């Protein structure tokens, strides 16, 4: 299905390069207001206005006006990206039984560390519930948030065909070259 708008939050494309501590720190501080140092300024990532204070998002800053416009209906102030849309959509569209957390994390299309944080955050915000066996269900709040971001991106309520159900591609495995001369010592021991 063709998207109608890309006016929503997105994670950096190379977020997987961050170590876990940095990723958690940046993830937890998203949306926090930050003031620029005296004599310095920020620029809004979308409007390109000069700001003395902006909302922080993974190294980017947004004016309060733009931030409020990026927040989607039904999200209750939660900044929803395409990844949260995908996670909520996979759970919402599961037919017979609720999906397991591991399945959702594997199919989220982001690095494992980030998908773990996202599922925990969606659960903590009340969009999902997880039973003791790790199976996830979407709540009515989660459904409202899902339909809100679907309307922003596609112009209509969520439909299962809006998401691709294939898992993220696995990282290529690099084979180690075989030594030609086994008697040669290793200089780096």
């Amino acid at each position: 299905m063709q998207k109608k708008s890309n006016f929503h939050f997105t994670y950096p494309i190379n977020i997987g390069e961050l170590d876990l501590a940095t990723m958690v720190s940046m993830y937890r501080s998203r949306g926090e207001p930050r003031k620029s140092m005296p004599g310095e300024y920020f620029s809004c990532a979308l409007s390109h206005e000069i700001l003395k204070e902006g909302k922080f998002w993974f190294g980017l800053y947004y004016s309060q006006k733009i931030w409020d416009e990026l927040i989607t209906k039904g999200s209750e102030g939660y900044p929803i990206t395409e990844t949260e849309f995908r996670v909520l959509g996979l759970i919402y569209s599961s037919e017979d039984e609720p999906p397991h957390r591991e399945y959702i994390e594997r199919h989220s299309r982001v690095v494992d560390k980030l998908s773990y944080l996202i599922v925990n955050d969606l659960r903590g915000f009340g969009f999902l519930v997880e039973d003791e066996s790790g199976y996830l269900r979407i709540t009515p709040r989660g459904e409202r948030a899902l339909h809100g971001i679907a309307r922003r991106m596609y112009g209509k309520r969520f439909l299962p065909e809006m998401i691709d159900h294939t898992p993220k591609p696995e990282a290529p495995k690099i084979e180690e070259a075989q030594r030609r001369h086994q008697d040669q010592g290793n200089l780096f021991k």
Side-chain angles (χ1 to χ4, degrees), residues 90-103:
L90 285 169
I91 297 166
Y92 181 82
S93 62
S94 62
E95 296 172 6
D96 298 333
E97 59 183 55
H100 195 271
R101 178 188 185 113
E102 187 178 295
Y103 172 86

Side-chain angles (χ1 to χ4, degrees), residues 50-167:
I50 297 295
L51 309 168
K52 286 298 278 176
E53 183 176 321
K55 294 272 193 146
F56 180 76
W57 179 269
F58 295 93
L60 299 175
Y61 297 91
Y62 294 99
S63 68
Q64 184 66 53
K65 178 182 180 291
I66 296 295
W67 183 272
D68 292 343
E69 289 174 11
L70 284 167
I71 296 292
T72 54
K73 186 177 180 181
S75 72
E76 300 180 26
Y78 187 93
I80 295 182
T81 71
E82 217 165 323
T83 304
E84 284 86 357
F85 169 74
R86 183 169 181 70
V87 166
L88 292 169
L90 285 169
I91 297 166
Y92 181 82
S93 62
S94 62
E95 296 172 6
D96 298 333
E97 59 183 55
H100 195 271
R101 178 188 185 113
E102 187 178 295
Y103 172 86
I104 296 299
E105 289 176 1
R106 192 172 58 249
H107 287 75
S108 68
R109 296 252 173 108
V110 292
V111 295
D112 295 340
K113 300 177 277 192
L114 182 58
S115 64
Y116 179 81
L117 290 171
I118 289 170
V119 170
N120 280 351
D121 222 33
L122 289 172
R123 192 185 67 203
F125 210 77
F127 293 146
L128 303 176
V129 291
E130 181 177 7
D131 68 16
E132 61 279 346
S133 300
Y135 290 96
L136 299 167
R137 288 182 176 78
I138 192 166
T139 65
R141 288 175 81 180
E143 286 184 32
R144 285 190 297 274
L146 175 62
H147 293 308
I149 187 69
R151 280 190 189 98
R152 169 73 55 89
M153 291 177 9
Y154 294 95
K156 57 177 94 173
R157 289 174 55 93
F158 176 79
L159 299 170
E161 53 266 17
M162 291 176 180
I163 55 173
D164 181 10
H165 292 270
T166 57

